Amino acid sequence: MRKALLPTLVIIAGSLLLIRLFYLQIIDDTLKLKSENISIKINYTYPERGYIYDRNGELLVANQPSYDIMVVPRDVKKIDTLEFCKLLNITKEDFIKKIEKAKVYSPLLPSVFLSQLNKLEYAAFQEKERRFTGFYIQKRSLRDYQIHNGANIFGFINQVNEKIIESNPYYKSGDLIGKQGVEEYYEEILRGQKGVKYIQKDKFNREIGSYKEGKFDTIAKQGKDITLTIDAELQKYGEEIMVNKWGGIVAIEPKTGEILALVSAPSYDPSILVGRQRSRNYTSLYNDSIAKPLYDRGLLAEYTPGSPFKILTGLIALQEGAINDSTTFFCRRGFRYGRKFMRCHCSGGGVRLHRAIYQSCNSYFSQSYMRLINKFKTPSQGVDVWSKHLQSFGLGDFMGYDLPTGRRGNIPTSKTYNKLYPNGGWKSTNIVSNAIGQGEVLLTPMQLANFMAAVANKGYYYTPHVIKKINGSVIDKKFRTKHVTTIDRKYFKPIIDGMFDVYNYGTAKGLGVKGIDICGKTGTAENYLRVNGKRIKLQDHSIFVAFAPKDNPKIAIAVFVENGYWGARWAGPITTLMIEKYLNRKITKVDFEKRMLTGSLKAQYQKLYPRKVQDSIARAKDSITRVKKIADSLAKIKSIDKNSLDKDKNKNKKKDTVKLKN
Amino acid sequence: MKNQSVSNNIDWMSIMIYILLVIMGWLNIYSSSLSTAAIDTSIFDFTQIYGKQFLFILISIPIIFVVLFVEPKFYEKFSIIIFAVAILALIGLFPLGKTVAGQRCWYAIGSFTLQPSEFAKAATSLALAKYLSDVQINLKHSNRQIQALIIIFLPVLLILPQPDPGSALIYFSFFFVLFREGLPGWYLGTGLVAIVVFVLTLAFENSWIVIAIATVALIFNYFRSKLIERNILASGIILLLISLFSFSVGFVFNNVFKQHHRDRFNILLGKDVDSKGIGYNTNQSEIAIGSGRWIGKGFLEGTQTKGGFVPAQHTDYIFTTVGEEWGFLGSVFVIGLFVGLIIRVIYLAERQKTKFSRVYGYCVASILFIHFFVNIAMVVGVFPTIGVPLPFFSYGGSGLWGFTILLFVFLKMDANKVNEW
């Protein structure tokens, strides 16, 4: 027994040690991670972001060097804080706050202390850098905008947030990422691939050489340059014209679907989102909830399209055989359906398709639409056929263009109305305002421009896009695929003829330019705002769609000016100027130009969104009593809606007896 | 008639393990000290730690030859004189020793230092073997026990005030030898109970809980008596002693121990874990070993080793390099070598024909075992931090030579056993 003790103990002790080692080395996997965190430092080299050019090869966005001051909190020794703060123009409180923030992130790892210094600030700091131990400068490349326009197309560059870091392992704290516009959509192409260098550290956090002789290191890959379809000159002109107006302009080359200009107003100079003032500027842009400069109205604003929609009503009615180009409807300066009366501003009498378009006859298109719907056994079928045709123009859905934001718009179907009239019984008369683009239909300016391009092409379109070239290689196949509409080519001719005469005898008489055959259509859309449960009628929107030249269309355009009274007042002249600018590069309509450039709708917007309303909204956010009041008013609104719905239902019953003339 | 030459009778298996351990130790020292040296220096650069270790290894070779050349009778005859020289050397440290990092453990001759406590282990082993080999000696008698304990604790008394608690701890390994040679079991039993009570008292921070456990254990023992006799008085005395010990542990721990001693225990018991302060050593050592996974990061590829994160890595923490660069498999191999060597020495000791060489062999095995276990247990974080080197592995001339002499004296005795009739 005495002999056995020591050998037994040796075996037991050896086994115990092996069990412990097995636990440490195989089971507990946090230790390996800890080891990597402690002993390996990763250095990134950031490639330069790709440049952005316009369709004519003009450089729009380049890069400039910028300098971030980094801090490793643990290394910060006693420094002359006063001098430091003075040099960088920050307060002592700022200094303490930033250091604390960096400490919270990690006392050992570098974090950004102050970002995006310009060259002068950099030079001043660099001179004294060695006196500020713990701080060092990291070079980065920032955007350098060559033009002051196109902010909504480019987007901007942002530091990645926690969410992005978590969801995408490529990005590390402090990295930059493109937000909005092509910077976001083509982020991976523009940013390139950052280089990684693993560095072995010792216990003093000193670098003592590369890890594994650089076996895992990678070299940074340069970002690719991209060429946009945007015409910088046209874009600039469009933005200048839209100064002091709210709205959007979308211009497309019909034959290719290339977006020539995408104007959203109000806009901002993209260069204000670069440099040290960036976050302040961004905050003020972001907080402007009334004018919404960060909101791309060309892509996001869903408007009632108004009269331009009549073009589609006409095309579908022709296609479905509800009318032909000699069908005549009688217009009594308006159109009575049921108890409602829709005013019309055409010259009245017997109206055929041609005049119906150039004079924008409400009666004609309403009656065509009703005839179209009534052709089918049930209104549901009719609406669905109509809806299908519209969808073939890319309406009612995201269009698949290469910008990261967008809205579907709204193209109602039978489902929409079954929901609105849960007891059924809706008829063509209930939905007739769709005929003139005034009902449930909503389109974005991009969708307006796209259907105009399809009309210009007599029945096909390409998905609109802003990318023309990525460093020489061909663009995505989806932008080279022809989409054919469900309307036969022959039905476009009468419509286009009518649109041509809009300029000769119609609603846009006097807006034309000598030498350019423009086909267009005015639009004036009613719009309402709900304030405290009341439906307030606001000033109408001014809309215009057009393409030119008539025989060989090179540009299709949609212009939308919020609260611009009527189509020919603002949107019409702007359309003309844009078309002339693009096709001739010279403006002959100097009087138009002067009026549009200097004209302002600011007073109008101030009237619409008075400070009082804004203030009350702001206050409501804060106080609970206000919230209660809002709840009350909401209840009121609901009851009002209910009442009006009930009324509508009653009307439906009455309408059954009404016979319509056609 | 058997061949009497040393090379034919010496235990080559032990020598192979010895050579493997020494070479692996040197390679790991090279890896662990490379970070602080220039990258391009040769592994034989004598200005560097690994170069010096190479020199120490070279010097071991003539030492081995001398040890093997000497007649085994010499060790037996002169064991008391050798022991006396060792004791004198330890005493001499007080006036003549060199103080390094607060410890007065070294004689310095120029830049060359010697640590007598490393050689004292072998000397004490010889003395103990000599004392116990006397046919008159029976460890059942208490005055014999006291005499044996005097031999063991004389060097301990001289080593503790240096202070070098690690080296002093090693001398407790001789209890295994005494037990093997007939020391009553209650010595080890008491030691075991004391350790258990000590750990439990610190873990629960309350002596009453420990006393309660002890009471339950004693009652259980009383009714199913196996270990100690069914004697209410004896049980009561044992309980009283345990209680006193437990209270005194609390008192000593809080009032006699210095803060860094307390911290070392607290780390193990999972209290006050402060990985940046006192817990740094253990924490870094566990990270280094744990990051090795199955096969390790490869020779000279250990990131923790290169970064110099583990303190005293080339001496007491040398095993972290094995764990990090050679992984679990490498660790298993090294532990296997140690266990193999110790078992082999025990086996050889048991087959000795004289009591002297058997006792000495047992001393060698016990010393190697305590060194090996305490060192690696400390490195993997299951034993308090204490300065005990890993035999043959850790950097240091005195240590290497001390262990070499310790082992080879026994191998010489073993090789000579054919002549002992």
Coordinates of all heavy atoms in Angstrom, one line a residue, chain B residues 6-64:
Chain B
V6 N 29.1 1.1 -17.2 CA 28.0 2.0 -16.9 C 27.1 2.1 -18.1 O 25.9 2.0 -17.9 CB 28.5 3.4 -16.5 CG1 27.4 4.4 -16.5 CG2 29.3 3.4 -15.2
S7 N 27.7 2.2 -19.3 CA 26.8 2.4 -20.5 C 25.9 1.2 -20.7 O 24.8 1.4 -21.4 CB 27.7 2.7 -21.7 OG 28.4 1.5 -22.0
N8 N 26.3 0.0 -20.3 CA 25.4 -1.1 -20.5 C 24.3 -1.2 -19.5 O 23.3 -1.8 -19.7 CB 26.2 -2.4 -20.5 CG 26.8 -2.6 -21.9 OD1 26.6 -1.8 -22.8 ND2 27.7 -3.6 -22.0
N9 N 24.5 -0.7 -18.3 CA 23.6 -0.9 -17.2 C 22.8 0.4 -16.9 O 21.8 0.3 -16.2 CB 24.3 -1.3 -16.0 CG 24.9 -2.7 -16.2 OD1 24.1 -3.6 -16.5 ND2 26.2 -2.8 -16.1
I10 N 23.2 1.5 -17.4 CA 22.5 2.7 -17.1 C 21.1 2.7 -17.8 O 20.9 2.0 -18.8 CB 23.3 3.9 -17.5 CG1 22.8 5.2 -16.8 CG2 23.2 4.2 -19.0 CD1 23.8 6.3 -16.6
D11 N 20.1 3.4 -17.2 CA 18.8 3.4 -17.7 C 18.6 4.4 -18.8 O 18.4 5.5 -18.6 CB 17.8 3.7 -16.6 CG 16.4 3.5 -17.0 OD1 16.0 2.5 -17.6 OD2 15.6 4.5 -16.9
W12 N 18.7 3.9 -20.1 CA 18.7 4.8 -21.2 C 17.4 5.4 -21.4 O 17.3 6.5 -21.9 CB 19.1 4.0 -22.5 CG 20.6 3.8 -22.5 CD1 21.3 2.7 -22.3 CD2 21.6 4.8 -22.8 NE1 22.6 2.9 -22.4 CE2 22.9 4.2 -22.7 CE3 21.5 6.2 -23.1 CZ2 24.0 4.9 -23.0 CZ3 22.7 6.9 -23.4 CH2 23.9 6.2 -23.3
M13 N 16.3 4.8 -20.9 CA 15.0 5.4 -21.1 C 14.9 6.7 -20.3 O 14.5 7.7 -20.9 CB 14.0 4.4 -20.6 CG 12.5 4.9 -20.8 SD 11.4 3.7 -20.2 CE 9.9 4.7 -20.1
S14 N 15.4 6.7 -19.1 CA 15.4 8.0 -18.3 C 16.3 9.0 -19.0 O 15.9 10.2 -19.1 CB 15.9 7.7 -16.9 OG 15.2 6.7 -16.3
I15 N 17.4 8.6 -19.6 CA 18.3 9.5 -20.2 C 17.6 10.1 -21.4 O 17.7 11.4 -21.7 CB 19.6 8.9 -20.5 CG1 20.4 8.5 -19.2 CG2 20.5 9.8 -21.4 CD1 21.7 7.9 -19.4
M16 N 16.9 9.3 -22.2 CA 16.3 9.8 -23.4 C 15.2 10.9 -23.0 O 15.1 12.0 -23.6 CB 15.6 8.7 -24.1 CG 16.5 7.7 -24.9 SD 17.7 8.5 -25.8 CE 16.7 9.4 -27.1
I17 N 14.4 10.6 -22.0 CA 13.4 11.6 -21.5 C 14.1 12.8 -21.1 O 13.7 13.9 -21.4 CB 12.6 11.0 -20.4 CG1 11.8 9.8 -20.9 CG2 11.6 12.0 -19.8 CD1 10.9 9.1 -19.9
Y18 N 15.2 12.7 -20.3 CA 16.0 13.8 -19.8 C 16.4 14.7 -21.0 O 16.2 15.9 -21.0 CB 17.2 13.3 -19.0 CG 18.2 14.4 -18.8 CD1 18.1 15.3 -17.7 CD2 19.4 14.5 -19.5 CE1 19.0 16.3 -17.4 CE2 20.3 15.5 -19.3 CZ 20.2 16.4 -18.2 OH 21.1 17.3 -18.0
I19 N 17.0 14.0 -22.0 CA 17.5 14.8 -23.2 C 16.4 15.5 -23.9 O 16.5 16.7 -24.2 CB 18.3 13.9 -24.2 CG1 19.6 13.4 -23.5 CG2 18.6 14.6 -25.5 CD1 20.3 12.3 -24.3
L20 N 15.3 14.8 -24.1 CA 14.1 15.4 -24.8 C 13.6 16.7 -24.0 O 13.4 17.7 -24.6 CB 12.9 14.4 -24.8 CG 12.9 13.5 -26.1 CD1 11.8 12.5 -25.9 CD2 12.7 14.4 -27.3
L21 N 13.5 16.5 -22.7 CA 13.0 17.6 -21.9 C 14.0 18.8 -21.9 O 13.5 20.0 -22.1 CB 12.8 17.2 -20.4 CG 11.6 16.3 -20.1 CD1 11.6 15.8 -18.7 CD2 10.3 17.0 -20.4
V22 N 15.2 18.5 -21.9 CA 16.2 19.6 -21.9 C 16.2 20.4 -23.2 O 16.1 21.6 -23.3 CB 17.6 19.1 -21.6 CG1 18.7 20.2 -21.9 CG2 17.7 18.7 -20.1
I23 N 16.1 19.6 -24.3 CA 16.1 20.3 -25.6 C 14.8 21.0 -25.9 O 14.8 22.2 -26.3 CB 16.3 19.2 -26.7 CG1 17.8 18.7 -26.7 CG2 16.0 19.8 -28.1 CD1 18.1 17.6 -27.6
M24 N 13.7 20.4 -25.5 CA 12.4 21.1 -25.6 C 12.4 22.4 -24.8 O 11.9 23.4 -25.2 CB 11.2 20.2 -25.3 CG 11.0 19.2 -26.3 SD 9.6 18.1 -25.9 CE 8.3 19.3 -26.0
G25 N 12.9 22.3 -23.6 CA 13.0 23.4 -22.7 C 13.8 24.6 -23.4 O 13.3 25.7 -23.4
W26 N 14.9 24.2 -24.0 CA 15.7 25.2 -24.6 C 15.0 25.9 -25.8 O 15.0 27.1 -25.9 CB 17.0 24.5 -25.1 CG 18.0 25.4 -25.8 CD1 18.4 26.7 -25.4 CD2 18.6 25.2 -27.0 NE1 19.2 27.2 -26.3 CE2 19.4 26.3 -27.3 CE3 18.7 24.1 -27.9 CZ2 20.2 26.4 -28.5 CZ3 19.4 24.2 -29.0 CH2 20.2 25.3 -29.3
L27 N 14.3 25.1 -26.6 CA 13.6 25.6 -27.8 C 12.5 26.6 -27.3 O 12.3 27.6 -27.9 CB 13.0 24.5 -28.6 CG 14.0 23.6 -29.4 CD1 13.2 22.5 -30.1 CD2 14.7 24.5 -30.4
N28 N 11.8 26.2 -26.2 CA 10.8 27.1 -25.7 C 11.3 28.3 -25.1 O 10.7 29.4 -25.2 CB 9.9 26.3 -24.8 CG 8.9 25.4 -25.5 OD1 8.1 25.9 -26.3 ND2 9.1 24.1 -25.3
I29 N 12.5 28.2 -24.5 CA 13.1 29.4 -23.9 C 13.5 30.3 -25.1 O 13.3 31.6 -25.0 CB 14.4 29.0 -23.1 CG1 13.9 28.4 -21.8 CG2 15.2 30.3 -22.8 CD1 15.0 27.7 -21.0
Y30 N 14.0 29.7 -26.2 CA 14.4 30.5 -27.4 C 13.2 31.3 -27.9 O 13.2 32.5 -28.1 CB 14.9 29.6 -28.4 CG 15.2 30.2 -29.8 CD1 16.2 31.2 -29.8 CD2 14.5 29.9 -30.9 CE1 16.5 31.8 -31.0 CE2 14.8 30.5 -32.1 CZ 15.8 31.5 -32.2 OH 16.1 32.1 -33.4
S31 N 12.1 30.6 -28.0 CA 10.8 31.2 -28.5 C 10.4 32.3 -27.6 O 10.0 33.4 -28.0 CB 9.7 30.2 -28.7 OG 8.6 30.8 -29.1
S32 N 10.4 32.0 -26.3 CA 9.8 33.0 -25.3 C 10.7 34.2 -25.1 O 10.2 35.3 -24.8 CB 9.6 32.3 -24.0 OG 10.8 32.2 -23.3
S33 N 12.0 34.1 -25.4 CA 12.8 35.3 -25.2 C 13.2 36.0 -26.5 O 13.9 37.0 -26.5 CB 14.1 34.9 -24.4 OG 14.7 33.8 -25.1
L34 N 12.7 35.5 -27.6 CA 13.0 36.0 -28.9 C 12.4 37.4 -29.1 O 13.0 38.3 -29.7 CB 12.5 35.1 -30.0 CG 13.1 35.3 -31.4 CD1 14.6 35.0 -31.3 CD2 12.5 34.4 -32.4
S35 N 11.3 37.7 -28.5 CA 10.6 38.9 -28.7 C 11.4 40.1 -28.2 O 11.4 41.2 -28.9 CB 9.2 38.9 -28.0 OG 9.4 38.7 -26.6
T36 N 12.1 39.9 -27.1 CA 12.8 41.1 -26.6 C 14.2 41.2 -27.2 O 14.9 42.2 -27.0 CB 12.9 40.9 -25.1 OG1 13.3 39.6 -24.8 CG2 11.7 41.3 -24.4
A37 N 14.6 40.2 -28.0 CA 15.9 40.3 -28.6 C 15.8 40.7 -30.1 O 14.7 40.7 -30.6 CB 16.6 38.9 -28.6
A38 N 16.8 41.0 -30.7 CA 16.8 41.4 -32.1 C 16.5 40.1 -32.9 O 16.9 39.0 -32.4 CB 18.2 41.9 -32.5
I39 N 15.8 40.2 -34.0 CA 15.3 39.1 -34.7 C 16.4 38.2 -35.3 O 16.4 37.0 -35.4 CB 14.3 39.5 -35.8 CG1 13.1 40.3 -35.2 CG2 13.8 38.3 -36.6 CD1 12.3 39.5 -34.2
D40 N 17.5 38.9 -35.7 CA 18.5 38.2 -36.5 C 19.6 37.5 -35.7 O 20.4 36.8 -36.3 CB 19.2 39.2 -37.5 CG 18.2 39.8 -38.4 OD1 17.2 39.1 -38.8 OD2 18.3 41.0 -38.8
T41 N 19.5 37.5 -34.4 CA 20.6 36.9 -33.7 C 20.5 35.4 -33.8 O 19.4 34.8 -34.0 CB 20.6 37.3 -32.2 OG1 19.3 37.0 -31.7 CG2 20.9 38.7 -32.0
S42 N 21.6 34.7 -33.6 CA 21.7 33.3 -33.7 C 21.1 32.7 -32.4 O 21.1 33.3 -31.4 CB 23.1 32.8 -33.9 OG 23.4 31.7 -33.1
I43 N 20.6 31.5 -32.5 CA 20.1 30.8 -31.4 C 21.2 30.5 -30.3 O 20.9 30.2 -29.2 CB 19.3 29.5 -31.8 CG1 18.5 28.9 -30.7 CG2 20.3 28.4 -32.3 CD1 17.6 27.8 -31.1
F44 N 22.5 30.6 -30.8 CA 23.6 30.3 -29.9 C 24.2 31.6 -29.3 O 25.3 31.5 -28.7 CB 24.6 29.5 -30.7 CG 24.1 28.2 -31.3 CD1 24.0 28.1 -32.6 CD2 23.6 27.2 -30.4 CE1 23.5 26.9 -33.2 CE2 23.1 26.1 -31.0 CZ 23.0 25.9 -32.3
D45 N 23.6 32.7 -29.6 CA 24.1 34.0 -29.1 C 24.2 34.0 -27.6 O 23.2 34.0 -26.9 CB 23.2 35.1 -29.6 CG 23.8 36.5 -29.3 OD1 24.7 36.5 -28.3 OD2 23.5 37.4 -29.9
F46 N 25.4 34.0 -27.0 CA 25.6 33.8 -25.6 C 25.2 35.0 -24.8 O 25.1 35.0 -23.6 CB 27.0 33.4 -25.2 CG 27.3 32.0 -25.7 CD1 28.6 31.7 -26.3 CD2 26.4 31.0 -25.7 CE1 28.9 30.4 -26.7 CE2 26.6 29.8 -26.1 CZ 27.9 29.5 -26.7
T47 N 24.9 36.2 -25.5 CA 24.5 37.3 -24.7 C 23.0 37.3 -24.5 O 22.5 38.0 -23.7 CB 24.8 38.6 -25.5 OG1 24.0 38.6 -26.7 CG2 26.2 38.8 -25.8
Q48 N 22.3 36.3 -25.2 CA 20.9 36.2 -25.0 C 20.6 35.1 -24.0 O 21.4 34.2 -23.8 CB 20.2 36.0 -26.3 CG 20.4 37.1 -27.3 CD 19.8 38.4 -26.9 OE1 18.9 38.4 -26.0 NE2 20.4 39.5 -27.4
I49 N 19.4 35.1 -23.5 CA 18.9 34.1 -22.5 C 19.0 32.7 -23.1 O 19.6 31.8 -22.5 CB 17.5 34.4 -22.1 CG1 17.5 35.5 -21.1 CG2 16.8 33.2 -21.5 CD1 16.1 36.1 -20.8
Y50 N 18.6 32.5 -24.4 CA 18.6 31.2 -25.0 C 20.0 30.7 -25.2 O 20.4 29.6 -25.1 CB 17.8 31.1 -26.2 CG 18.0 32.3 -27.2 CD1 19.0 32.3 -28.1 CD2 17.1 33.4 -27.1 CE1 19.2 33.4 -28.9 CE2 17.3 34.5 -27.9 CZ 18.3 34.5 -28.9 OH 18.5 35.5 -29.7
G51 N 20.9 31.7 -25.5 CA 22.3 31.4 -25.7 C 22.9 30.9 -24.4 O 23.7 29.9 -24.4
K52 N 22.6 31.6 -23.3 CA 23.1 31.2 -22.0 C 22.6 29.8 -21.6 O 23.3 29.0 -21.1 CB 22.7 32.2 -21.0 CG 23.5 33.5 -21.0 CD 23.1 34.4 -19.9 CE 23.7 35.8 -20.0 NZ 22.9 36.8 -19.3
Q53 N 21.3 29.6 -21.9 CA 20.8 28.3 -21.6 C 21.5 27.2 -22.3 O 21.8 26.1 -21.8 CB 19.3 28.2 -21.9 CG 18.6 26.9 -21.6 CD 18.4 26.7 -20.1 OE1 18.7 27.6 -19.3 NE2 17.9 25.5 -19.7
F54 N 21.9 27.5 -23.6 CA 22.6 26.5 -24.4 C 24.0 26.2 -23.7 O 24.4 25.1 -23.6 CB 22.9 27.1 -25.8 CG 23.6 26.1 -26.7 CD1 23.1 24.9 -27.0 CD2 24.9 26.4 -27.2 CE1 23.8 24.0 -27.8 CE2 25.6 25.6 -28.0 CZ 25.0 24.3 -28.3
L55 N 24.6 27.3 -23.2 CA 25.8 27.2 -22.5 C 25.6 26.3 -21.2 O 26.4 25.4 -20.9 CB 26.3 28.5 -22.0 CG 27.8 28.6 -21.6 CD1 28.7 28.3 -22.7 CD2 28.1 30.0 -21.0
F56 N 24.6 26.5 -20.5 CA 24.3 25.7 -19.3 C 24.1 24.2 -19.7 O 24.6 23.4 -19.0 CB 23.0 26.2 -18.6 CG 23.0 27.6 -18.1 CD1 21.9 28.4 -18.1 CD2 24.2 28.2 -17.7 CE1 21.9 29.7 -17.7 CE2 24.3 29.5 -17.3 CZ 23.1 30.3 -17.2
I57 N 23.5 24.0 -20.8 CA 23.3 22.6 -21.3 C 24.6 22.0 -21.6 O 24.9 20.8 -21.2 CB 22.3 22.6 -22.5 CG1 20.9 23.0 -22.1 CG2 22.3 21.2 -23.1 CD1 20.0 23.2 -23.2
L58 N 25.5 22.8 -22.3 CA 26.8 22.3 -22.6 C 27.6 21.9 -21.3 O 28.2 20.8 -21.3 CB 27.6 23.3 -23.4 CG 27.2 23.5 -24.8 CD1 28.1 24.5 -25.5 CD2 27.3 22.2 -25.6
I59 N 27.5 22.8 -20.3 CA 28.2 22.5 -19.1 C 27.7 21.3 -18.4 O 28.4 20.6 -17.6 CB 28.2 23.8 -18.2 CG1 28.9 24.9 -18.8 CG2 28.8 23.5 -16.8 CD1 28.8 26.3 -18.1
S60 N 26.4 21.0 -18.6 CA 25.8 19.8 -17.9 C 26.5 18.5 -18.4 O 26.5 17.6 -17.6 CB 24.3 19.7 -18.3 OG 23.6 20.9 -17.9
I61 N 27.0 18.5 -19.6 CA 27.6 17.3 -20.1 C 28.8 16.8 -19.3 O 28.8 15.7 -18.8 CB 27.9 17.5 -21.6 CG1 26.6 17.7 -22.4 CG2 28.7 16.2 -22.1 CD1 26.8 18.1 -23.8
P62 N 29.8 17.7 -19.0 CA 30.9 17.3 -18.2 C 30.4 16.9 -16.7 O 30.9 16.0 -16.1 CB 31.8 18.4 -18.1 CG 31.1 19.6 -18.7 CD 30.1 19.0 -19.6
I63 N 29.4 17.7 -16.3 CA 28.8 17.4 -14.9 C 28.3 15.9 -14.9 O 28.6 15.1 -14.0 CB 27.7 18.4 -14.6 CG1 28.3 19.8 -14.3 CG2 27.0 17.9 -13.3 CD1 27.3 20.8 -14.0
I64 N 27.6 15.6 -16.0 CA 27.0 14.2 -16.0 C 28.1 13.2 -16.0 O 28.1 12.2 -15.3 CB 26.2 14.1 -17.3 CG1 24.9 14.9 -17.2 CG2 25.9 12.6 -17.6 CD1 24.1 15.0 -18.5

